[in-house]
Amino acid sequence: MASDRILRRGLPILLAVCILALCAGQAAARGPAINDIQPYDTIFIYEEGLNLTQLRNATTDNPITALRKYQDDNPDKSLIKSIPVTDDTNVEVQDLLVDGDYGTYYTFSPEDGVTGQVMIREPKIYLDVVLASPYHNERLDGLSVSENTRIAFKIACPDVGAFYTAGGVYPATVDIVVTHPGGAETTAIGGMNLAGLNVSSTQFYTDDPGRPGPIALSDLREVGTYTVRAEWSEPAVFDAYAPDSEPVTFTVGKRVGIETGTPTPAVTATPTPTVTTPPTTAAPTTPATTVPATETATPTTVPPATTPTATPLPVWAAIAALGVAFTLIGRRR
């Protein structure tokens, strides 16, 4: 009975959850071009030339005049922020107007009210220095490592890598800039180009398949402390305004530190025992012992081991035991 009640209550709850999930909508890809925004898309501060016409009321097709943010993301509650839109075919998301209030914004027109929604986020980028595959979990930030070490750079762009795409194309790119101990900057190490890396996922490593590959620190050819940062190269507005990643430092030294990312098992040599041959010396001469002819050695006789013989129970003891047994039997009856 209890299971029937749970089943009767559980089905409506499950149905309600499914309906809410459908009503919440899914993040749609931009299209047909990267500037064409669809309902529930994510847009970023600094972006320019965005086309919001797909968020108009489909019946009236009235232009959008504002992006509005409401308390608890609920249009029925109080208005928190309103960003004016003068031309919904050419929208610029200014960071000064957003002022750090990221999240859900609703498109609005005076005639139609709320017509759709988008997410506004900041294009962030993170960088880390790690050992080459398969040891990506070993971070090198602030460490001193051997010049024989092979490393990789880890790049994370949680929002741009997930939402800045149209037609299966991810147009955003980043550069990895390495600053040498002497102050020179470069995006190339050992003939490997680390510029224009495509941000096609929320996180990737420079030695992933299809990426430049692992980096041998011996290619840096300079002992000392290096600084690395990731910066946007595309789109141009990200390059111009979006902040770079926090810098990461590591030191290349001569000493043996953290070794290559693909180490070979160490082979321990088996020591060969040294055989020392004792010097050959003449055997000492033992004087002969003269035994008198009349004396005969008497052999020592060892008596054979004997097994103790079990002593039989005396007759009287057996008769007494039988008497006691019969007495006990009589009492039990």
Side-chain angles (χ1 to χ4, degrees):
M1 295 297 293
S3 61
D4 291 340
R5 287 196 300 270
I6 293 174
L7 183 61
R8 287 196 300 269
R9 294 176 181 177
L11 287 177
I13 294 174
L14 179 61
L15 181 60
V17 171
C18 294
I19 292 174
L20 288 175
L22 291 174
C23 293
Q26 298 178 351
R30 298 184 180 188
I34 192 65
N35 287 349
D36 294 322
I37 307 304
Q38 305 294 326
Y40 305 106
D41 271 353
T42 294
I43 59 179
F44 298 92
I45 57 172
Y46 315 120
E47 282 200 90
E48 301 173 345
L50 298 181
N51 183 356
L52 303 184
T53 57
Q54 292 299 315
L55 284 86
R56 294 177 179 179
N57 182 295
T59 303
T60 63
D61 199 34
N62 291 316
I64 293 167
T65 61
L67 291 172
R68 291 187 166 188
K69 185 174 180 62
Y70 295 92
Q71 182 182 359
D72 299 330
D73 297 335
N74 186 346
D76 294 330
K77 294 188 176 181
S78 60
L79 178 65
I80 296 176
K81 184 184 292 290
S82 181
I83 300 175
V85 174
T86 56
D87 180 1
D88 65 355
T89 67
N90 185 20
V91 177
E92 178 182 353
V93 187
Q94 298 182 21
D95 60 319
L96 293 177
L97 296 179
V98 176
D99 195 26
D101 287 333
Y102 305 115
T104 301
Y105 280 76
Y106 292 85
T107 52
F108 175 86
S109 73
E111 298 83 4
D112 304 315
V114 170
T115 61
Q117 72 181 68
V118 293
M119 293 288 292
I120 298 181
R121 300 182 186 273
E122 180 183 11
K124 291 186 176 181
I125 182 172
Y126 304 91
L127 174 76
D128 206 352
V129 183
V130 297
L131 283 181
S133 178
Y135 303 102
H136 288 158
N137 60 323
E138 297 291 341
R139 300 179 63 247
L140 303 182
D141 184 16
L143 296 182
S144 178
V145 293
S146 166
E147 60 184 359
N148 299 322
T149 305
R150 294 200 307 161
I151 67 171
F153 298 118
K154 173 184 175 182
I155 297 93
C157 306
D159 297 321
V160 174
F163 305 114
Y164 194 75
T165 177
V169 176
Y170 292 80
T173 59
V174 297
D175 297 340
I176 306 299
V177 181
V178 181
T179 304
H180 288 250
E185 291 188 347
T186 182
T187 56
I189 300 177
M192 188 178 302
N193 186 15
L194 298 176
L197 301 179
N198 187 245
V199 182
S200 57
S201 60
T202 58
Q203 174 181 295
F204 64 91
Y205 298 86
T206 53
D207 61 349
D208 284 342
R211 300 292 183 177
I215 299 164
L217 293 186
S218 57
D219 292 336
L220 295 175
R221 299 180 182 178
E222 191 175 357
V223 174
T225 300
Y226 288 79
T227 303
V228 187
R229 72 179 185 275
E231 58 183 34
W232 294 105
S233 54
E234 291 292 340
V237 289
F238 287 2
D239 180 28
Y241 302 111
D244 300 337
S245 72
E246 292 293 329
V248 178
T249 62
F250 63 94
T251 301
V252 179
K254 289 289 187 182
R255 67 180 179 81
V256 177
I258 300 176
E259 292 300 330
T260 176
T262 54
T264 54
V267 179
T268 304
T270 304
T272 304
T274 304
V275 180
T276 305
T277 306
T280 305
T281 56
T285 305
T286 303
T289 303
T290 305
V291 180
T294 56
E295 186 176 353
T296 304
T298 304
T300 302
T301 304
V302 179
T306 58
T307 303
T309 305
T311 304
L313 188 68
V315 176
W316 64 269
I319 295 173
L322 290 174
V324 172
F326 281 121
T327 303
L328 293 175
I329 294 171
R331 288 183 178 181
R332 290 182 179 180
R333 290 180 180 178

